[in-house]
Amino acid sequence: MTVNPIEMQKALGGVNYPASKQEIVDQADKHGAGKEIMSALKSLPSKEYDSPAAVNKEVGKGS
């Protein structure tokens, strides 16, 4: 799955880190993230993420 990192960061705007997977998914949903981004975020392991870079890194592993 290829996710545009710029679109990912837009979707994650306003997330207060550290954040749980659920907080990240909820925030992306509020920002109207596309299907690919939502799918990528929903497939993340359930844990705390300390930065947007940590989210991007984890999403990248799933590619």
Side-chain angles (χ1 to χ4, degrees):
M1 178 183 321
T2 305
V3 175
N4 181 322
I6 295 166
E7 292 300 317
M8 176 71 75
Q9 292 311 311
K10 285 182 188 174
L12 298 179
V15 173
N16 293 317
Y17 294 92
S20 69
K21 171 188 172 180
Q22 192 59 53
E23 290 169 315
I24 291 166
V25 170
D26 289 347
Q27 191 68 25
D29 193 38
K30 284 182 193 168
H31 278 105
K35 285 182 189 175
E36 289 175 349
I37 290 174
M38 290 305 295
S39 178
L41 293 175
K42 288 178 180 178
S43 69
L44 290 171
S46 290
K47 65 178 189 177
E48 291 270 310
Y49 293 89
D50 58 3
S51 68
V55 176
N56 272 342
K57 185 176 178 185
E58 198 67 50
V59 167
K61 287 183 189 176
S63 298

